[in-house]
Amino acid sequence: MTLPSEIDVAIIGAGAAGLGAARALENSGLSVIVLEARDRVGGRGYTVMAAPDITFDVGCGWLHSADKNSFVKIAQQLNFEIDKTRPPWREQSFDAGFPLKERADFIAALDDFYERAEQAAKSGRDSAASSYLEPGNRWNPMIDAISTYVNGSELRSVSIQDMDAYEDTGINWRVRRGYGALMTAYGAPCPLALDCKVTLLDHSGKRVRIETSQGRLSAGKVIVTVPTNLIASEAIRFSPALPAKVDAARGLPLGLADKVMLALDEPEALPKDGNLRGATMRTAMGSFHLRPFGQACVEGYFGGSYAQTLEDAGSGALAAQSIDEIVALLGNDYRRKLKPLAESRWAHDPFARGSYSHALPGHAGDRAVLAAPVDGRLFFAGEATSPNFFSTAHGARDSGERAAGEVVASLTTG
Ligand SMILES: Cc1cc2nc3c(=O)[nH]c(=O)nc-3n(C[C@H](O)[C@H](O)[C@H](O)COP(=O)(O)OP(=O)(O)OC[C@H]3O[C@@H](n4cnc5c(N)ncnc54)[C@H](O)[C@@H]3O)c2cc1C
């Protein structure tokens, strides 16, 4: 689509939040355009066919809190099959390197840690989640590894108030054709300008002047949905400057999680939807989902500073490390049986610069600061603005709908 010179509402970013906002405005009578820097929609929701018969969600894959997840209904409406197989995260197939008794000890230590953090959060004071690790507990490195998957970051950088605010109903489903594919279908009716990178939002006048890689336009209202790391680094600038927004974004950095997809020869030897942890007594380890949906593949997951180190080591490092960790558990045969197909590099992605947000200790309140509208003209959405479903795709989508509602309300209240 060519850029209009004027529009009622410009939405910056065509991820779950931007698409949620655009869909919510479709019968509003307002002219709307979604400006997206990439050549595709979905943002951190992105499905590829890693091989002709292997679906790979490079970003989000799980319908977390599925009983409260607005994408579940959307999937049903769009005829996307939902897989309700329970996630294997707490299992270790074949007990490889991690016998049942040890696993039970670890799960007990993990649950105790969450309980201590939850109790501490009740005081209303904030602190780093790492303060609630039991000193000397042998499972601490592994509890920290879980944090790198869940928060994209080690516990020392995670606020307990934020952790406590997250709403996890414990029900996690998947979209068989891919969460990213679902987002693409959901976004299909949206008016879009792709390859359109926004660099400046000048809100000094009555209308907002928007500078993009495809030229300028002006909008009555703007909904900003870009990831916090882009606001924090001022990759997208506001004029006049909005220091409160930049500070809030800096309090809510995107941590890092990366995924790798490996093709698997002789798949019958491994269980469908099985799981392996690459190690036990350390934080730097991958977690491996064996044969997701029964496909002939293994999907690896890496988080936090370990994922960053592997990304920085260059393309192929995540796959090589995955194969080493699996071979150490299942035997040398697997060096021959596993072949790299695809991997993510979210920290190096210029339009994400990370995976999902967590609040730094003392910054749980920044989500509300980031979400607040400015002058009835600038509105903010995106996963980081969600009060209780932050870091998720449905939290992002719902935040877009919330921001669209604020836009409409601002018009009726003048
Ligand atoms: C590896 C990984 C695993 C995950 N797993 C899950 C999971 O299982 N379940 C779950 O619910 N969530 C998961 N998530 C998180 C989920 O993907 C995100 O929370 C959600 O997709 C964020 O949506 P958003 O709209 O807020 O941001 P984004 O999807 O990042 O959308 C923002 C959009 O803005 C665009 N943009 C950026 N800068 C500009 C600019 N200057 N001009 C124009 N456009 C711009 C971007 O290209 C992007 O399309 C995962 C994420 C990753 C990376």
Side-chain angles (χ1 to χ4, degrees):
M1 166 186 267
T2 50
L3 272 193
S5 57
E6 294 198 345
I7 198 90
D8 292 331
V9 185
I11 298 169
I12 320 294
L19 299 177
R23 292 300 308 266
L25 289 171
E26 66 192 357
N27 296 317
S28 64
L30 297 166
S31 61
V32 173
I33 190 161
V34 186
L35 307 173
E36 169 54 53
R38 300 178 198 268
D39 61 2
R40 61 169 180 83
V41 304
R44 285 172 271 166
Y46 182 37
T47 306
V48 298
M49 293 312 290
D53 52 355
I54 297 180
T55 310
F56 178 32
D57 266 318
V58 185
C60 54
W62 292 92
L63 294 155
H64 291 311
S65 300
D67 49 337
K68 295 198 172 176
N69 185 318
S70 52
F71 271 118
V72 169
K73 191 162 166 218
I74 292 164
Q76 286 158 348
Q77 284 164 348
L78 294 173
N79 286 321
F80 275 68
E81 183 196 336
I82 290 178
D83 183 297
K84 299 186 178 176
T85 310
R86 282 163 61 100
W89 301 322
R90 291 193 163 198
E91 291 163 24
Q92 181 84 349
S93 299
F94 314 115
D95 290 342
F98 199 18
L100 193 58
K101 162 79 177 69
E102 294 281 280
R103 252 158 40 228
D105 276 4
F106 163 63
I107 298 292
L110 180 67
D111 289 344
D112 286 352
F113 160 74
Y114 284 134
E115 178 61 28
R116 279 192 300 276
E118 193 182 322
Q119 288 306 323
K122 288 198 174 118
S123 73
R125 285 189 300 276
D126 205 1
S127 49
S130 52
S131 318
Y132 302 94
L133 290 169
E134 188 181 63
N137 189 302
R138 67 182 179 132
W139 297 112
N140 286 347
M142 208 162 154
I143 295 173
D144 222 7
I146 304 295
S147 174
T148 69
Y149 309 140
V150 173
N151 303 302
S153 174
E154 284 75 4
L155 291 165
R156 63 178 176 274
S157 312
V158 176
S159 142
I160 52 160
Q161 290 299 336
D162 199 51
M163 222 168 81
D164 194 56
Y166 182 76
E167 194 179 340
D168 179 5
T169 67
I171 300 178
N172 300 284
W173 296 340
R174 282 171 297 169
V175 183
R176 179 61 188 89
R177 280 152 63 195
Y179 211 152
L182 172 62
M183 272 188 211
T184 304
Y186 174 65
C190 298
L192 273 172
L194 294 176
D195 293 312
C196 184
K197 177 177 148 187
V198 174
T199 50
L200 178 73
L201 296 171
D202 177 346
H203 58 113
S204 56
K206 195 166 178 319
R207 290 177 64 79
V208 182
R209 196 171 58 82
I210 306 172
E211 284 187 12
T212 84
S213 53
Q214 289 190 26
R216 289 183 181 162
L217 71 158
S218 84
K221 314 270 175 186
V222 174
I223 301 177
V224 180
T225 76
V226 303
T228 50
N229 284 2
L230 292 153
I231 296 176
S233 64
E234 301 188 66
I236 183 163
R237 280 194 312 115
F238 298 95
S239 176
L242 295 176
K245 294 292 180 190
V246 173
D247 285 351
R250 288 181 181 157
L252 303 167
L254 264 57
L256 184 58
D258 272 313
K259 288 186 182 176
V260 54
M261 183 55 93
L262 306 169
L264 171 68
D265 259 7
E266 300 167 33
E268 319 71 45
L270 297 185
K272 175 179 178 295
D273 286 312
N275 192 59
L276 287 177
R277 283 164 211 285
T280 49
M281 306 316 282
R282 58 178 206 244
T283 304
M285 62 164 162
S287 174
F288 304 97
H289 189 150
L290 309 179
R291 299 183 58 207
F293 303 115
Q295 301 177 121
C297 61
V298 174
E299 185 182 291
Y301 208 92
F302 293 81
S305 39
Y306 188 41
Q308 185 72 54
T309 305
L310 290 168
E311 254 199 50
D312 291 347
S315 180
L318 282 152
Q321 184 60 32
S322 300
I323 293 172
D324 284 351
E325 290 188 16
I326 295 168
V327 163
L329 291 167
L330 298 184
N332 223 9
D333 258 13
Y334 280 85
R335 205 166 285 290
R336 172 181 61 78
K337 289 186 187 173
L338 294 167
K339 300 259 167 346
L341 288 176
E343 61 187 27
S344 66
R345 291 171 64 74
W346 288 106
H348 285 80
D349 179 323
F351 304 120
R353 300 194 189 174
S355 296
Y356 29 85
S357 69
H358 60 281
L360 297 175
H363 290 268
D366 287 358
R367 297 202 186 274
V369 176
L370 187 64
V374 174
D375 290 340
R377 272 178 308 164
L378 296 179
F379 299 83
F380 291 81
E383 55 89 4
T385 68
S386 169
N388 53 348
F389 286 137
F390 46 83
S391 77
T392 71
H394 62 289
R397 198 214 67 86
D398 296 355
S399 76
E401 202 168 83
R402 184 257 309 143
E406 290 168 354
V407 165
V408 171
S410 75
L411 290 165
T412 49
T413 56

